[in-house]
Amino acid sequence: MTDILEALKASLDQARIIEKLKEFRYEEALGIPPTATNAEATAAFVRLSARYAGEEPVRIALNKARGAMLAESDLERGRRLAWLGNREAAAAFFRRAVAQDDGLEANRALGRTLAQLNRDEEAFHYLEQAALLGDQAEDYHWLGATLANAGKYKAALNPLREAARRRGSCADHEWLAKALLALGRLAESLPHLRRIVELRDDPEDRLRLDETLAELASQASPEPATASVAASQPGEQLELFQLDPTANGTARWTVWISGPPYSEQQ
């Protein structure tokens, strides 16, 4: 009975090794941790090959697992581990890739992985490097969204504006509106809230736009009030009067500059 159980266990172990190889889980096939070195992978291969000396399919699988690991760069291994859902291990290899190269792909991968792990403070530097090196809308989005997620709304504005200007996806406008609303800049958020409504037919988005318009209306005063804003000419004083949000989300500011009022769209 014991012999039968041992044989069954050995058979299951062999099947597991072959299955892990098919799933690209090379470390698990070799029985080593995800962050194991190539030297550890080779040592595990030698040990397991001796154990399964009479099992040719298993030895072939072990050799393929080791060969695949040895052929991977740190960046490639990190991407595979991230694809498998092991972001912690992936981040370790992305760090190695940054240390070796410090290029766009390594900084981008490490920054995004750290952000996905909610390690925003660690992610900022690498996401900023990716935005500088890549100069692409998606890189600006990741930097801005991560800053906003960490509560750094003011710092998030420029990269989020750049992402919205270049790409203008719903996610770009969503994060930019969120940052502006958090900073109390309701009027500036309106074009982005309206764009979200246009891009995504969701009643919640319409409700948020209506609530923002209502809040702006409640803040408007029917009586003139002097505003502390920069004058258009040295020595001039501007006065900011009633804010009149309209149903379509456009804010109209009425301004006096030493004479009759005029209106300008914001």
Side-chain angles (χ1 to χ4, degrees), residues 110-120 123 127 142 146 149:
L110 180 54
R112 294 183 184 185
T113 300
L114 290 171
Q116 289 169 331
L117 290 168
N118 293 318
R119 289 155 63 177
D120 294 337
L127 292 174
W142 272 89
T146 304
N149 191 59

Side-chain angles (χ1 to χ4, degrees), residues 201-218:
D201 186 17
D202 188 331
E204 291 295 323
D205 296 327
R206 168 58 65 179
L207 177 61
R208 180 173 53 175
L209 173 59
D210 291 343
E211 289 175 345
T212 304
L213 287 166
E215 187 171 353
L216 277 168
S218 71

Side-chain angles (χ1 to χ4, degrees), residues 205-251:
D205 296 327
R206 168 58 65 179
L207 177 61
R208 180 173 53 175
L209 173 59
D210 291 343
E211 289 175 345
T212 304
L213 287 166
E215 187 171 353
L216 277 168
S218 71
Q219 293 176 0
S221 170
E223 298 297 327
T226 300
S228 298
V229 295
S232 60
Q233 297 289 336
E236 283 188 337
Q237 174 69 44
L238 302 184
E239 289 184 331
L240 180 64
F241 283 72
Q242 184 175 353
L243 173 65
D244 179 23
T246 61
N248 65 359
T250 300

Side-chain angles (χ1 to χ4, degrees), residues 1-157:
M1 185 66 174
T2 301
D3 292 342
I4 294 175
L5 291 175
E6 288 295 330
L8 179 59
K9 182 178 181 300
S11 178
L12 291 173
D13 287 343
Q14 294 169 27
R16 180 189 60 80
I17 290 171
I18 295 172
E19 189 62 29
K20 295 301 180 185
L21 172 66
K22 293 178 180 178
E23 296 173 353
F24 306 102
R25 300 180 183 273
Y26 307 134
E27 296 83 4
E28 293 181 47
L30 292 166
I32 55 179
T35 54
T37 64
N38 287 344
E40 290 173 318
T42 298
F45 165 73
V46 171
R47 184 179 66 255
L48 291 173
S49 292
R51 180 186 301 176
Y52 297 107
E55 302 293 338
E56 190 65 15
V58 178
R59 293 183 71 254
I60 290 173
L62 290 169
N63 189 45
K64 286 183 177 180
R66 180 194 62 152
M69 286 184 63
L70 295 181
E72 288 178 323
S73 66
D74 288 326
L75 183 59
E76 290 168 338
R77 189 169 174 189
R79 285 172 172 164
R80 175 173 59 82
L81 290 169
W83 178 72
L84 291 170
N86 194 338
R87 292 195 180 105
E88 285 288 355
F93 285 97
F94 291 146
R95 284 189 192 279
R96 295 184 193 180
V98 168
Q100 293 168 6
D101 175 36
D102 199 27
L104 170 60
E105 293 302 326
N107 278 284
R108 178 183 282 163
L110 180 54
R112 294 183 184 185
T113 300
L114 290 171
Q116 289 169 331
L117 290 168
N118 293 318
R119 289 155 63 177
D120 294 337
E121 293 291 338
E122 293 180 65
F124 295 149
H125 169 74
Y126 304 105
L127 292 174
E128 186 174 34
Q129 284 296 104
L132 289 171
L133 294 169
D135 193 31
Q136 295 181 21
E138 191 171 1
D139 293 315
Y140 287 112
H141 172 87
W142 272 89
L143 174 58
T146 304
L147 286 164
N149 191 59
K152 298 180 183 293
Y153 298 112
K154 189 172 182 179
L157 291 181

